[in-house]
Amino acid sequence: MYAQMVAVCFSSETPEDSPQPCTVTEIYINIVRHCLQTISKKTKTKDLNSFINNKSEEILSLAEFAFKATEGKTVILRELPCEDSCVLSFLKPLVIKVAPTETITTHAFLHYTMQEFFAALWLLKNPDKIGDVFQQSLIEEKKHMKHLIPFMCRLLTDKRPSLMKHLIPAQELKNTSDWFFEELITTFLEADTEDSGLDVDILFLCQCLYESQCPEASISFLEKLDYALDLSGESLEPYLCSAVAYVVTQSKERKIWLNLEDVMVSEQGMRRLLGCLQNVQWCGPLPRQLWEIFLLKCGQMADEPHQLTQPGWKSVAPSS
C-alpha cells in the first residue's frame, strides 16, 4: 500500500490546483493520517483530527523512539513506547531467535523513511535539538541525520493535510518556524569553506525549500546566492528538477543565473525545468547547455529506436 501510494503520487502529472500531494512529506502525512483513520475508524475529518489530538502523547512517544533509533543508526526498536494500537499500526514485529528454544520480539517501522518522518516530528517538539542535527548533518559519520530536515521543513508549515497542529501547540510551531529556515540556509551555505572541505549542497537546500512550499524562504536563499544557481555536473532526477523549478519560479522580480554544464537529466525532469525558464537569464552558456542536453537525449533515442514510439519522447524527438 505504501509503495503504491508513493508511486501513484509521483507518476501522476496533475494541474497545480490538484489535491494530489506534490512533496514527499505530504505523501507521508497522508500515509500517517490513513493509518490512524483505519485504526480509529474515524471517516470524518473532524473526528479524525480529534482522535489525533487525543492520541498526541502516544504518537509523540513513538516519535521519540524513532529519533533515538535514527540517531543510533538502527531500525530496531528493542522497547515499545506503549502498547497502544495507534502506535502498533506503524510497526511490524520482528521475532529474533536468541537460543534454540527461546526468541525475543522487537519492532521496526514499516519502512525506514517512516522512522525518519517520526524522528523529524519529535525534533519539532524539541526544537532545542534542531541546531545539533543541522551540525551533525555536516559530519560524515552523522550525515544520515540530514534526511530528517526536509520533513521538518514541510511539517512546520500550516498547510493541508494537517497533522502537526493536532500534536503540538500552534504557537510553539510558529516560534520554531521564525528562525528555522534562516538557520538552515545559513548553516549549509556557510559549510562551504576551504577548511571544511565541504561544498554547498544546492540541491539539498532546493529540496528543503520545495518541501516547505515557503516562497519567503526561497527568496532568502536566492538572495544569499546572489540569484545564481550552479548545478554543473549534477545528476537531476525528476523530483530534484521539480525542487529546482519551484525555487526558481519564486523569484518574480529578478532573473536567475542558472548553470547546467554537464548536467545529467531525464526527459521527464527536463520538462519540469522547462516550466521555470521564464524566470531564468537567457544568456551566457545556458542556451548551449540546453541544446547539448536535448541533443544528448536525441542521441539516446537514436540508439534505442523503440523509445521513439513512447508518447513521452515526442516532445524532444527531432522532426526529421
Side-chain angles (χ1 to χ4, degrees):
M1 179 190 68
Y2 299 95
Q4 188 175 32
M5 288 179 72
V6 173
V8 168
C9 290
F10 277 102
S11 64
S12 300
E13 294 190 11
T14 57
E16 291 182 2
D17 59 350
S18 167
Q20 189 83 328
C22 64
T23 68
V24 173
T25 314
E26 283 183 60
I27 292 171
Y28 274 82
I29 291 173
N30 277 293
I31 290 173
V32 169
R33 287 179 63 90
H34 174 80
C35 287
L36 294 174
Q37 186 178 60
T38 300
I39 200 70
S40 67
K41 296 181 171 57
K42 306 291 186 184
T43 56
K44 294 182 179 180
T45 299
K46 182 179 179 180
D47 293 338
L48 175 60
N49 292 340
S50 178
F51 176 80
I52 295 172
N53 184 68
N54 292 333
K55 292 292 184 180
S56 61
E57 185 176 342
E58 289 83 358
I59 294 171
L60 289 171
S61 68
L62 177 62
E64 181 179 6
F65 274 68
F67 178 79
K68 290 178 178 178
T70 303
E71 195 173 38
K73 282 188 176 181
T74 181
V75 297
I76 303 297
L77 306 181
R78 299 202 174 273
E79 297 180 57
L80 276 178
C82 64
E83 296 282 351
D84 193 279
S85 59
C86 80
V87 167
L88 295 176
S89 66
F90 297 104
L91 303 174
K92 57 184 175 183
L94 301 175
V95 179
I96 301 175
K97 191 171 185 178
V98 294
T101 59
E102 185 178 1
T103 61
I104 59 172
T105 300
T106 60
H107 290 81
F109 278 87
L110 297 170
H111 191 276
Y112 182 62
T113 315
M114 182 65 75
Q115 177 176 307
E116 293 174 329
F117 176 90
F118 272 91
L121 192 157
W122 184 82
L123 275 173
L124 294 181
K125 181 62 178 174
N126 299 269
D128 56 307
K129 305 290 185 183
I130 293 176
D132 293 338
V133 170
F134 286 170
Q135 295 301 324
Q136 288 174 347
S137 301
L138 303 174
I139 303 171
E140 181 65 28
E141 58 268 23
K142 289 286 187 179
K143 66 180 181 181
H144 65 284
M145 301 297 287
K146 185 178 186 178
H147 302 299
L148 278 56
I149 299 174
F151 284 132
M152 286 191 285
C153 291
R154 169 61 178 83
L155 288 169
L156 268 175
T157 59
D158 185 21
K159 294 180 181 291
R160 294 181 182 275
S162 61
L163 179 65
M164 296 304 297
K165 68 180 182 181
H166 308 301
L167 299 172
I168 300 174
Q171 189 58 50
E172 288 185 23
L173 291 173
K174 185 181 184 307
N175 291 343
T176 301
S177 65
D178 286 344
W179 56 263
F180 178 91
F181 292 103
E182 187 68 23
E183 183 167 335
L184 167 66
I185 294 168
T186 300
T187 298
F188 280 85
L189 290 184
E190 290 183 351
D192 180 30
T193 64
E194 292 183 3
D195 294 333
S196 70
L198 297 171
D199 295 325
V200 174
D201 196 338
I202 298 295
L203 287 178
F204 174 72
L205 287 173
C206 285
Q207 176 189 353
C208 290
L209 294 167
Y210 177 60
E211 289 293 320
S212 76
Q213 296 287 296
C214 181
E216 296 80 11
S218 295
I219 293 300
S220 175
F221 169 64
L222 291 170
E223 287 176 348
K224 290 181 184 297
L225 289 177
D226 196 24
Y227 291 84
L229 290 180
D230 184 357
L231 305 178
S232 56
E234 297 284 4
S235 179
L236 302 180
E237 58 177 288
Y239 169 73
L240 291 176
C241 289
S242 295
V244 171
Y246 170 78
V247 172
V248 169
T249 53
Q250 302 316 302
S251 181
K252 311 296 184 185
E253 306 297 329
R254 183 171 171 182
K255 299 284 188 181
I256 306 296
W257 180 83
L258 185 63
N259 184 7
L260 298 177
E261 190 74 39
D262 295 326
V263 161
M264 297 296 294
V265 58
S266 68
E267 183 264 347
Q268 188 182 21
M270 194 64 213
R271 280 187 286 152
R272 285 165 165 75
L273 283 180
L274 289 175
C276 74
L277 290 183
Q278 69 272 20
N279 295 70
V280 170
Q281 296 180 27
W282 193 252
C283 61
L286 182 61
R288 172 186 59 80
Q289 292 167 359
L290 287 171
W291 272 113
E292 287 178 349
I293 292 172
F294 280 125
L295 290 172
L296 177 61
K297 286 294 161 197
C298 291
Q300 290 173 345
M301 288 187 292
D303 292 338
E304 301 179 46
H306 67 281
Q307 290 188 352
L308 292 172
T309 62
Q310 298 179 6
W313 291 97
K314 291 180 180 178
S315 60
V316 295
S319 57
S320 59

